[in-house]
Structures are given as structure tokens and as C-alpha cells.
Amino acid sequence: EQRLEALRDPIWRLFHLYRIINKDGESVPFQPKIAQQQVIEAVYIRGERKILILKARQQGFSTLISIILLDGTVWEDNQQAAIVDQTQDDACLKLGKCKYALEGFAEIEELKDILNNVERNNDSTLVLSNESWIKAGKNARGGTHNRIHISEWGPIAYSDPKRSREIKTGALPSAEKGLIFVESTFKGNKCGDFYDLI
């Protein structure tokens, strides 16, 4: 009963359920670092819905956000999530982090049946039988997203202003009432969509 009660708490789930590949290529339990814990606190304790992270390497923000997207997809019905990145391959790699964390359920007796709920699983899409899904790509225009992860908007705004406008006018409004993560390195001058957001 205590375990079932704990499973209702997203913070408990983030600290206890998921596995990741660390920087040494090893499969390890996900243990949030201090910087990641600050994001968890912002989202789940303070209720912040728009999170902007100026990226520093090896802090694990992409990993954390991937797990948050997955967690909402697994534990809530009818959830739509999107990953938008600089390239299709980069977006699919982030979706791969979600999939790896989900595959870790095979090692938890009470949760391995969740793996039977996967209806579609390809490079850019993960769909579960609870009608929740995560899609990965270069754009996320249209529809309504409950969670969205926009990665490397700084370089996108610098090198491809047209696609940056698509993010600003399409992806962001699609998650207006949802949870929005923007994490990016900065590139360019003090102008453009990403700089305006900062």
C-alpha cells in the first residue's frame, strides 16, 4: 500500500523509478543532481509552468526533461508531449532517453506490465495505450501539448530565423496551458526570438 501511494507522487517517481545511461555509458538509477532538483522543485512544488534553462554542459537537464515528459505520458491519460530540437536526429536522441527510462520498468515487478501498453514505438514517436504520446522533431506546430521541450532554440534562432518563428508562433502556443521547457545554449547577438525570451 505504501508503494502504491508513493507511485501517485511524481517527485517520488522521479527519484526512484527511472534508469539512465550515464556519461560513462553505464546503466544507472536516475539520481537528480542539485541543478536538476531545482527544476523539479520549480515544477512540482512551486507549480511553475514555463522553465527557461541556459544550458551548461553535463548538468543533465535534457535527461531530466525527457524523464518528466515520459513520466506524464505513462502516469496520465490523454497527454501529448513534444520534443523540438535543432535537428531531427537530436530530437530523436532525446526521445531515446525517454524510451530507455521506460524500458527500465522491465526490472520492476509491479511496473513491467506497463511495457505492454506501448502501441507505437519508432524513431520519432512513442504512443501508449492510455492515448498519451511523445513526438520528436524539428517543429511542433498545431494541436495541444501538455508538455513541450524546446532544445537549442538559441542556435536555431541564430541560423534559421524562419524556423525560430515557427517555434514562437506554433510550438509555444500549442503548449500555452501546459508545461514548457526551453533549454539552450546562447548564440548570436542581443536580438532574435530566443534573446527576447531571455
Side-chain angles (χ1 to χ4, degrees), residues 18-21 60-64 66-67 70 83 91-103:
Y18 299 103
R19 296 190 70 80
I20 62 169
I21 300 290
F61 291 121
S62 293
T63 298
L64 170 65
S66 296
I67 290 175
L70 174 68
I83 300 167
C92 291
L93 284 172
K94 287 181 177 61
L95 180 59
K97 293 180 181 192
C98 300
K99 294 175 183 180
Y100 187 82
L102 179 62
E103 289 163 6

Side-chain angles (χ1 to χ4, degrees), residues 157-176:
Y158 177 77
S159 62
D160 191 349
K162 183 178 179 183
R163 187 153 71 94
S164 179
R165 281 191 298 280
E166 282 288 311
I167 292 170
K168 183 176 182 178
T169 62
L172 284 183
S174 77
E176 186 175 9

Side-chain angles (χ1 to χ4, degrees), residues 14 18-19 64-76 81 95 97-103 105 126 128 132 134 147:
L14 290 176
Y18 299 103
R19 296 190 70 80
L64 170 65
I65 296 166
S66 296
I67 290 175
I68 289 173
L69 266 58
L70 174 68
D71 188 77
T73 303
V74 169
W75 299 99
E76 298 175 46
L95 180 59
K97 293 180 181 192
C98 300
K99 294 175 183 180
Y100 187 82
L102 179 62
E103 289 163 6
F105 286 178
L126 175 66
L128 302 181
S132 293
I134 306 172
R147 293 168 188 81

Side-chain angles (χ1 to χ4, degrees), residues 70-88:
L70 174 68
D71 188 77
T73 303
V74 169
W75 299 99
E76 298 175 46
D77 296 340
N78 302 302
Q79 297 294 299
Q80 289 78 48
I83 300 167
V84 177
D85 210 328
Q86 197 167 7
T87 69
Q88 183 69 35

Side-chain angles (χ1 to χ4, degrees), residues 147-188:
R147 293 168 188 81
I148 194 164
H149 176 194
I150 301 169
S151 184
E152 294 300 1
W153 194 0
I156 293 168
Y158 177 77
S159 62
D160 191 349
K162 183 178 179 183
R163 187 153 71 94
S164 179
R165 281 191 298 280
E166 282 288 311
I167 292 170
K168 183 176 182 178
T169 62
L172 284 183
S174 77
E176 186 175 9
K177 296 183 180 177
L179 181 56
I180 298 171
F181 293 99
V182 177
E183 53 95 31
S184 178
T185 49
F186 184 79
K187 187 171 185 178

